[in-house]
Structures are given as structure tokens and as C-alpha cells.
Amino acid sequence: MQQGIGIVKRKNPHGVRVIPGFGLTFGVSVTMLACLVLIPLASIVWSAGRLSFSEFIQVVTSRQIMSGYQVSLSCAFWAALVNVIFGIILAWVLVRYEFPGKRILDGMIELPFALPTAVAGIALTTLYSDQGWVGALFAKAGIKIAYTKAGITIAMIFVGIPFVVRSVQPVLEKLDRGYEEAAMMLGAGRIRTFFKVILPELYPAALAGFGLAFARGIGEYGSVVFIAGNIPFKTQIAPLLIMSKLEQFKYADATAIAVVLLIISFLLMLLINSIQIYMQRFHEGGENGASLKKIVEPYQKDSHRPLKGVLIAAAVIFMVVMMVLPLLLVLSSALKEGWDAYVRAVLDEYTIKALKLTVLATGSAVVVNTIFGIFAAVLISKYYFPGRQLLAALIDIPFSISPVIAGLVFSLTFGNLGWMGGFLQAHNIKIVFAVPGVLLATIFVTFPFVFRELLPVLQAQGKDEEEAAALMGAGKWKIFSRITFPHMRWALLYGIVLCTARAMGEFGAVSVISGHLRGVTNTLPLHVEILYNEFNTVAAFAVSSLLVIMAVILLILRSVIVAVGSKNV
Amino acid sequence: MYIEMKDINKTFDGFHASQDVSFGIEKGHLAALLGPSGSGKTTILRMIAGLDIPDSGDILIEDKRVNDIPGSKRGIGFVFQNYALFRYMTVADNIAFGLEIQKKSKKEIRERVDELLELISMKDLGKRYPHQLSGGQRQRVAFARALAPNPHLLLLDEPFAAIDAKVRRELRSWLKEMIGRVGVTSIFVTHDQEEAMEVADTIIVTNQGRVEQIGSPEEICRHPATSFVQDFIDRERYEALRIKKQ
């Protein structure tokens, strides 16, 4: 997963657009963004405006809500901190060492992106409950994990780890070996070199990873809500409070909680971006133009043996406990009552219906977001116009807000109490608690995925080739099909796989808007939740196993695309 | 001979970076490894520093075989091509880094850092970070950092490659003067023959992993030993340089 969008600043004093097709790409991108993201988001403002300032303060400062913020923020903070430590270890091990199973370890990092959060939630809960494989070990020592803040933190560690690893890994790969060699020539040992020379180089990336993991932790719903146990004043997270206000149809209260959450996320991102911009100035001090590629020997030659073993062991144990055990638990629980019970659960009428809806929602999200991603990425990378950076930032919004808030904005827009509610009722159109709502919510949460993968590739390519073709008289479709598209092929595939994985597993947003109508608006992840809450554990895990299989297939596809794509660039 | 390379061979993935390389450099000399890019000059420098290990042959420093001694224990200062200054440390901290590792006292470190800052005429810039310096200043800091632990041998990898042409000439004579003043045996890598002729008192010409000739600038220019050296060295430039010096 690519983190952060760096837009190449290029002055275009004459404002000449050589490449044709600006009007079309601009029109399509902005229209789609407005209809699918910005207008629904604006509902938050509309809804918040219905509370007076004192009412607003009263809602968000009530004891229950304050405790919700406190739980979400503190657990997300500790989880992000743990993720920074293990994320750096994992990235280090993956970049610097060779060992059997390395490719598998690398491929597994993305599991939390691909595995539906509800599946992760019930698997982690079972694993860390007092009778669970891991929970039982701690229960003997008198430590409870599930239904405590420790449990919430573990779930947040699970969802956040890929952010840190995938931020730090590329920086470590590109790090000039000169720094280490310089430290070594001055007599520094490996430990000192790491802490004094390498670690400072990783701070900006680790910080970015920390921020993303922290933000994701604050907003996370599906994987946390099961293990939290939702004990008032103790383990209720903020997104859950939004959810319960919505269930009581207190839309204004839900909005107020969401607004505070959005402000916290915004301030957090602002802080982290400022630190990063500050640290960037140090960056140019290291390079001086001519960094000629030297012949570099493989790293394992000089690697410090005992340390290497310890670090690989730490990385592997972390991944086994956080990723492999939950997967094994899903499969073993699904088959606990034998093959026949498993088949029965999988072939159940409601499971099949939920599967069909999941396929429909995922398909719509992939089609819509692929079209949008291509237009928007071409628009931002190939044309110069004022407001480009703002547009890129707006496209990223769905990525950084809680799925529960995403569900909320659609309820506020299309629900019976929403601002379009009266109009929709008059024309007998149902969106909320109906299939269109499920589709819209899925499209919303996966909106930036294809775009984010395409943009860096197109930006790296530049626009010289397009300009050359345009000067030779090629039209916009010819330029796109012959020049731009061939450059983006692999990134496009990659983006589609990520989009599919995320859409298939979307839980929080869909949960808010679907109304959980069995056989009508239930997707597979929602179906898992219902079965689990009905204590039909075997069926819940059987349905989960379908999602696990799909997630694993997507992860393998991802690894293949990365491997083949890197050879074909 | 102070430094001696004996029948050194080194291959990278089948590419012969060094073939039967043998030469010696006397104490106090300033030698240039000169050759076109890909001729194996940087590999030789990195092997002397212990950053690469030869497949066969011996590296001797003061008649002691150092092949199995790690680079950090060979008493070598190394100036990297792009300087590899630690970006998140101040100029003073960069220079002090090697001294801290030697567990020198705070006072000793401060004195040595001040002395070196004085030497590179950057007395008041110790608190700056690398990004606040010009290219020439960065090079001088890299030089001071390498000299701080009092190495017996100074190695410089293309020390002027990252500097723009205007400052380069100035820095060349500065470096020659500094090295003369400190009196440390030095080897630098360059692909620029004018640079080699102006700065070095011994030139080692390399080509395709082999040493073509070793000698003073005058010997190399007036009596090229191989047809490669004859083609590679521009004798007219050398004579012009000599006239200019006089």
C-alpha cells in the first residue's frame, strides 16, 4: 500500500495545456467526487447545525461520551506505539535479512487490509477470551484480555500494523548505505549505528505510520467492537457510541460525537504533517547531487548473527500470534462440528443471499472506483490547474474517517430524518435500510483506493510522452490508450485487488446503513455478526471461513501482481 | 611501502572488478586512483577501507596484513562521495561521532572538535545542521569528521564529484594544502585527470579492473607505459597545467 501522496510542484507560467481531454477528466472526476463523497459529507454540517452550541457541548461532555473518547484515544495511542516498535522490526527483517518463509511473511503484512474486520473481531475475541488459545494462558496468571482495554488495544494493533511496516519498508530499502559505512568507519558498532544513525532516518516514515495507525485505531469499529465487550464507562469506544445513538435515532447526538472525532483526527494529521514537514528540511543535508550507484553487496554478509536470529524470531512470533492464530482459529472453529455442519452453514439460504449482496456491493465499488480512479489520477498527474492539491486531499477523505461516520453521513442524507428524506419518501425511493444504501456505503469507504495506487505511478512517469504525442496530433483517446494506460496497468490491477479486499469486508459503514435485514440487506460480514451474536458460533466461523479464503486469494494475487509488475515496469 | 596491495582479485556476480591489482604507496604521499568509470578504482578504495573484502590477495598497511581486520580497526578515515553526513546531527556532533566511540572525555572531544572546526574555517558553524550548509562546506565537514579520530590513512571517494565546477577548483587546492598540513597519507578516487594531476603526487591509472601504470604525474604524462594510458591521458593538458603553475 502506498502511503501519502506527494504532488510534484511544477510551475506552468503560461497556463498552456498541450494534452487534450482536460474538460472531460475534470468533469467526470469532480462530478463523481461531489455526488459520492462531498454532498453526503456536507450533511454532517447540516445536522450539527441543528444543535445549539450549549446542547452540542452537553452531548459531547456527558460522562459516557467522554469515557468513550478516552478509551478510543488511549487504546489507539498504545496500539500505534506497539505498532511502531514491531513495524520497524518487521520492516528491518524484511529488508535486511534472507530467511526461509520471508515471502510469506511479507505477503501476510496486508492481511488486516484484506480480512474483513468483523471476522478479525470474532477471531480475536475467541482467541483472547478466558477459554481461548491465548487468553487461557493469561487467565492462569489472572490477566483478562478480552472485554478489557488490553483486548481493544490488541485489536487496534492488528488493524494498524500494515501502516507502519509499509511506511518504513520503502525508506529502509532506499536508505543510502553510505550512512552505515560512515558510522562503521568511525568505529561504531551495529547497535550504536542503528540507534544513532539509521533510526533518525526512519523517524519521518515511522511517524507517518504511527499517525495512520493511530487514526485507524480511533475510527476502527468492526474488529474492536466484539473484543471490547462494550461495558459502559469501561470499554465503550467512540464509534460504538455513534452507532448506539443512531440506533436510538438520535441523529444530532451521533453527529456531535462524530464532529469531535473528526476534529481530533484532523488535528492529529495536522500535527503529524507539520512534524514531517519540519523534519524534511534535514533531508537534503544528506544528499549532494551525485549519488552514484555503487556496487552493493548483499546485507546478510555483515549481519550480526545472534541479533539477526532474535529479530527474525520476534518478527515471526508477532506475525504468528497476530495473524496466523486468528486464521487457524477461524478454520478450526468452522470445522468443530464436522464437515456436514460446515457445509450446511455455508449453503444456508441466508448465507447465499448475503454472499450475492457482498458480490454485488464489491462489484459496484470496484467498477465505480476504478472509473473514478483512472479519471482522477490522470487529471491530477497530467494537467496543471489551481486547486489540484486540494482536490487530491478531498479524494483522500474517506480513507481517513471512521467507517461508522461514513455510514452516518448517508443516514443523515438519505434517511427518513435526513435532509433528502422527505423527497425520497414522497417518491417512494428507499436508500437507507435498502440495497442502494449498502452499495453507496461500500463505494464511499473504498473511494480513494484505485486513485491512490495510480497517482504515484502516473506522476513518476511525468507528462513528456503525452505532450509529445499531442504535438504530433494524437487525440485524447489515442493518447490514453496508447501512452497513459500502458504505464498504469500494474498499478491499476493492484488498486483493484485492494479495493476488492476492502469492499468485500466493509463492516462499520454498511452496518449503520443496512438495518440488518436478513436476506435483504445483509452482507457476509453482517451475517457473521448476526450469527455470532445469536451464539451460533460454528455457523459464524463457517461463513467467516469463506471470507478468509477470499482474503487469502486476494493476498496471493497481490503478491503475484507486485512480483510480476516490478519485473515489467 | 606504507600501503601495499598484492595480487588483489575481486568479482561481483561474475563482473571482474579487480584483476591482479598490485601497487604500493609511500608514507605521507597523496595518491590518486585515476580511471574511467567502471575501471575498478572505487572497489580498490573500498577494499583498503574494509568495506569490501577481496576474493584473493593481500592488503598490507605498515607491513601488516589487514585482510581480516575490520575496517573500523584499521585506523582509516573515509570521506564518502556524497559525504554521508548524518543529517539529524549538527556539524559538531558529526565531527564528534568517532571520538565518542573511542570513549574520549567530554573535554577532549570538545577541544578536538573546536580544533577541527578551526582547521576547516567553520569555527562558528558547529551548531548548524548539514542542510544549512553549502556543498563545499559539507565537504569540509566530511573531511573533518574523517580526520577527527586521527587516522593514519585518509581515503576519499570522488571527493569533488558533488561540487559545482566553480567551487571545485578552489576546494582542490584547499584539500591539497590541508592534507599537507595534517601530514596524513591519503588516497583519493577520481575520473578527472586534471584533478589527479593537480592534487596528487602519485597517480595510479586503472582500466577494466587492472592497474595500467603507477607513477608521478610527470612520469604518467611523459612516459605512458601502455597504449591505454597514452590514449587516456591528455598530455597537452598536463603541459598547459605545468606552464600555468610556473
Side-chain angles (χ1 to χ4, degrees), chain A residues 181-188, chain B residues 72 86 94 97-98 101-102 145-146 149:
Chain A
E181 289 178 346
M184 198 195 103
M185 289 310 297
L186 292 166
Chain B
S72 52
F86 306 133
N94 263 283
F97 189 84
I101 288 156
Q102 293 182 346
R145 183 177 72 178

Side-chain angles (χ1 to χ4, degrees), chain A residues 74-285:
Chain A
S74 63
C75 292
F77 176 82
W78 290 115
L81 206 62
V82 172
N83 276 335
V84 165
I85 295 166
F86 277 96
I88 290 176
I89 293 177
L90 275 162
W92 178 267
V93 162
L94 288 173
V95 172
R96 292 297 171 96
Y97 301 142
E98 286 302 329
F99 55 94
K102 179 172 149 173
R103 299 278 297 270
I104 298 172
L105 195 72
D106 191 48
M108 265 198 313
I109 301 283
E110 252 90 12
L111 184 71
F113 284 139
L115 191 70
T117 53
V119 174
I122 66 169
L124 290 173
T125 310
T126 311
L127 204 56
Y128 287 95
S129 74
D130 289 349
Q131 291 86 42
W133 296 347
V134 181
L137 300 177
F138 285 91
K140 271 185 203 147
I143 302 167
K144 277 179 78 74
I145 295 181
Y147 315 125
T148 67
K149 282 185 193 166
I152 299 175
T153 309
I154 284 176
M156 288 175 176
I157 293 171
F158 174 83
V159 294
I161 190 70
F163 293 102
V164 182
V165 178
R166 296 304 187 220
S167 294
V168 173
Q169 201 174 5
V171 178
L172 208 48
E173 267 162 11
K174 281 187 223 126
L175 189 67
D176 190 339
R177 263 202 104 178
Y179 296 115
E180 281 158 76
E181 289 178 346
M184 198 195 103
M185 289 310 297
L186 292 166
R190 296 196 62 78
I191 305 268
R192 184 195 290 261
T193 305
F194 179 79
F195 282 101
K196 297 270 296 201
V197 176
I198 300 174
L199 201 56
E201 297 286 329
L202 301 181
Y203 281 152
L207 190 72
F210 177 88
L212 288 165
F214 192 19
R216 178 72 202 269
I218 294 173
E220 178 57 24
Y221 178 73
S223 48
V224 177
V225 75
F226 297 97
I227 203 167
N230 312 325
I231 306 156
F233 304 110
K234 281 201 179 125
T235 60
Q236 274 182 331
I237 52 167
L240 178 91
L241 293 170
I242 298 178
M243 196 72 138
S244 62
K245 291 284 181 197
L246 276 174
E247 277 165 4
Q248 301 157 33
F249 295 101
K250 291 183 177 163
Y251 281 29
D253 290 10
T255 308
I257 305 172
V259 165
V260 173
L261 216 51
L262 286 174
I263 291 173
I264 292 172
S265 302
F266 176 75
L267 290 179
L268 185 74
M269 283 301 160
L270 201 68
L271 177 73
I272 283 166
N273 280 339
S274 318
I275 300 175
Q276 272 193 302
I277 289 168
Y278 171 75
M279 291 187 83
Q280 209 127 59
R281 71 183 59 187
F282 290 91
H283 216 77
E284 65 174 286

Side-chain angles (χ1 to χ4, degrees), chain B residues 113-149:
Chain B
V113 169
D114 285 345
E115 182 189 339
L116 283 161
L117 283 172
E118 181 96 58
L119 181 77
I120 61 171
S121 333
M122 286 176 61
K123 218 171 128 191
D124 302 320
L125 303 180
K127 292 222 166 74
R128 293 241 180 129
Y129 283 90
H131 71 92
Q132 296 164 316
L133 304 177
S134 71
Q137 288 173 325
R138 284 178 205 172
Q139 210 238 14
R140 285 187 273 160
V141 175
F143 176 74
R145 183 177 72 178
L147 281 184

Side-chain angles (χ1 to χ4, degrees), chain A residues 527-538:
Chain A
H527 193 50
V528 167
E529 182 198 16
I530 292 184
L531 291 169
Y532 184 79
N533 286 342
E534 287 171 349
F535 300 104
N536 195 348
T537 324
V538 169

Side-chain angles (χ1 to χ4, degrees), chain A residues 58-80:
Chain A
Q58 204 182 350
V59 172
V60 298
T61 54
S62 78
R63 235 187 97 214
Q64 192 177 18
I65 310 297
M66 289 297 273
S67 120
Y69 289 137
Q70 199 248 320
V71 170
S72 281
L73 285 173
S74 63
C75 292
F77 176 82
W78 290 115

